[in-house]
Amino acid sequence: MTDVKYTIKDFKSENEVRWCAGCGDFAIINAVQRTMAGMGIPKEKFAVISGIGCSSRFPYYMSTFGFHTIHGRATAVASGVKAANPELSVWVMTGDGDSMAIGGNHFIHLIRRNIDLNVVLFNNRIYGLTKGQYSPTSDRGFVSKTSPFGTVEDPFVPGQLVIGARGSFYARSIDGNLKLSQSVLEKAAEHKGTSVVEVLQNCVIFNNGIHNAITDPNHRADRQLVLEHGKPMLFGAENEKGLVFENGKLKVVKIGENGVTEDDILVHDAMEVDPTLHLALINMALPDFPVALGVIRAVPAPVYDVEMEAQIKEIQQTRKVSCVDELLNSGNTWEVTGNPNGSSKKCI
């Protein structure tokens, strides 16, 4: 922690931001900068790592250390950064194409290892930088430049991958909801282990309005369930609707109908180790259910970089050879003498 007080301006670089006017990325970077400014960590302790895509221009616009890597490899490079310097607060900025396609293998193994990184996944369900091809999160039947008659594939659901890879933290937000985004990013930063924050982001050029059904001000109260740990799962304009568990499945009910009271509504437990209910919340979709937002899962689990550092220290204390210099000078060695200059050399 530091006594230095930062503002959002301290995390803005001098580079011109080159995203399309109206792009959801502007709101996301604002939320990230606000989060970092309030973390009480010196600026030199931050590192922002990205792959390839519109979202991956992120490091250029941040006044922190950063690394713009190659397609799909941001999580792999970030893993090395964190392992080499565990004191850094490492943030990965990636898109649905970057992380779910060519980077899919790195994505799931980062989560499985539970390295202490913060992954912000921009999900606009399209390849934006390469001009409008369908992505791994595009819905079946989606028409794009590379699927003119509609895709014949089922999409990845990022939260399902997190659960399947034994993830310890998953949250979901919307680009335009700055307050919610900052809240979940702060909780992600506090979490020890891999935190994945999926942000439903709008691409104004190639997939404009893809999340309108969720974000429409006239209907969002009925279509969004903002979860809070320890609080009932209520939604609706007057919090008159909620979720119950019936016959092994989630069900939407209305308080006051059929004898339902607020006491019947499920209370969100983000720290429940069993992922069954968390997965059910992730899978909720319109029109039958609201879309779950907020921190869905946040459970304690062994952290890779912490375990690795502890293991190295333990082995160094018990092994005869604790470093490379000692290794090079161990075993059979001898001295070569009689050099013309009169010096001797120690050889292995």
Side-chain angles (χ1 to χ4, degrees):
M1 302 292 286
T2 178
D3 293 331
V4 178
K5 301 297 183 182
Y6 292 117
T7 68
I8 185 174
K9 292 181 179 179
D10 294 310
F11 288 89
K12 292 184 177 181
S13 76
E14 297 179 352
N15 294 322
E16 179 187 357
V17 180
R18 295 186 176 181
W19 285 321
C20 302
C23 177
D25 291 4
F26 286 98
I28 298 172
I29 197 171
N30 190 292
V32 170
Q33 289 167 336
R34 289 178 183 274
T35 299
M36 289 183 174
M39 287 177 61
I41 296 175
K43 282 177 58 178
E44 62 270 20
K45 294 295 184 181
F46 286 100
V48 178
I49 316 297
S50 68
I52 295 296
C54 294
S55 62
S56 295
R57 300 185 62 83
F58 214 94
Y60 298 108
Y61 310 140
M62 296 291 297
S63 181
T64 63
F65 288 113
F67 192 173
H68 189 184
T69 71
I70 58 177
H71 205 194
R73 271 58 180 184
T75 50
V77 172
S79 298
V81 170
K82 185 66 177 183
N85 192 344
E87 293 184 359
L88 291 178
S89 177
V90 183
W91 295 70
V92 177
M93 301 297 158
T94 184
D96 48 300
D98 186 54
S99 60
M100 303 280 97
I102 191 171
N105 185 57
H106 296 299
F107 181 80
I108 60 174
H109 287 294
L110 165 67
I111 294 164
R112 177 181 66 84
R113 294 182 176 116
N114 203 35
I115 300 174
D116 191 16
L117 302 175
N118 306 301
V119 179
V120 183
L121 197 168
F122 301 48
N123 188 0
N124 54 25
R125 300 184 179 179
I126 197 78
Y127 279 102
L129 186 66
T130 48
K131 308 299 186 288
Q133 300 85 356
Y134 76 92
S135 85
T137 59
S138 299
D139 288 331
R140 175 180 282 271
F142 182 77
V143 175
S144 72
K145 291 182 178 180
T146 48
S147 57
F149 306 107
T151 67
V152 291
E153 305 173 10
D154 287 321
F156 273 142
V157 176
Q160 291 179 352
L161 291 179
V162 174
I163 297 297
R166 304 172 64 91
S168 60
F169 186 102
Y170 171 76
R172 186 189 282 145
S173 186
I174 296 173
D175 55 8
N177 192 332
L178 181 60
K179 183 179 179 181
L180 176 62
S181 294
Q182 185 175 345
S183 173
V184 298
L185 288 170
E186 288 170 352
K187 291 180 174 63
E190 293 169 0
H191 180 74
K192 299 303 179 184
T194 302
S195 64
V196 178
V197 177
E198 177 190 4
V199 184
L200 305 181
Q201 178 251 341
N202 191 45
C203 174
V204 293
I205 304 299
F206 297 107
N207 210 11
N208 192 28
I210 186 61
H211 301 300
N212 276 359
I214 304 168
T215 61
D216 183 351
N218 295 321
H219 301 287
R220 63 188 174 198
D222 291 320
R223 297 176 181 178
Q224 297 180 17
L225 169 60
V226 180
L227 297 164
E228 293 185 65
H229 177 70
K231 294 187 177 181
M233 301 182 192
L234 294 170
F235 65 102
E238 304 293 334
N239 276 344
E240 74 281 8
K241 300 177 183 179
L243 295 180
V244 298
F245 212 58
E246 186 176 284
N247 298 323
K249 296 181 180 180
L250 289 175
K251 179 182 177 181
V252 174
V253 294
K254 191 170 183 178
I255 295 174
E257 291 185 356
N258 301 316
V260 174
T261 69
E262 187 170 325
D263 292 337
D264 297 312
I265 304 302
L266 286 170
V267 174
H268 182 46
D269 185 359
M271 299 183 68
E272 169 58 53
V273 176
D274 186 334
T276 303
L277 187 53
H278 297 158
L279 184 58
L281 290 168
I282 289 167
N283 288 340
M284 291 195 312
L286 301 175
D288 298 324
F289 291 93
V291 173
L293 304 173
V295 177
I296 295 175
R297 180 172 176 81
V299 299
V303 180
Y304 180 92
D305 36 297
V306 174
E307 299 278 314
M308 182 189 70
E309 190 176 16
Q311 185 183 66
I312 290 173
K313 289 180 179 179
E314 179 183 353
I315 298 303
Q316 286 176 334
Q317 292 173 356
T318 58
R319 288 176 62 90
K320 293 181 179 179
V321 176
S322 61
C323 65
V324 175
D325 285 343
E326 291 179 6
L327 176 64
L328 294 177
N329 288 287
S330 65
N332 296 323
T333 63
W334 65 93
E335 289 186 1
V336 177
T337 60
N339 288 348
N341 60 11
S343 63
S344 61
K345 293 185 177 180
K346 193 173 187 179
C347 302
I348 299 176

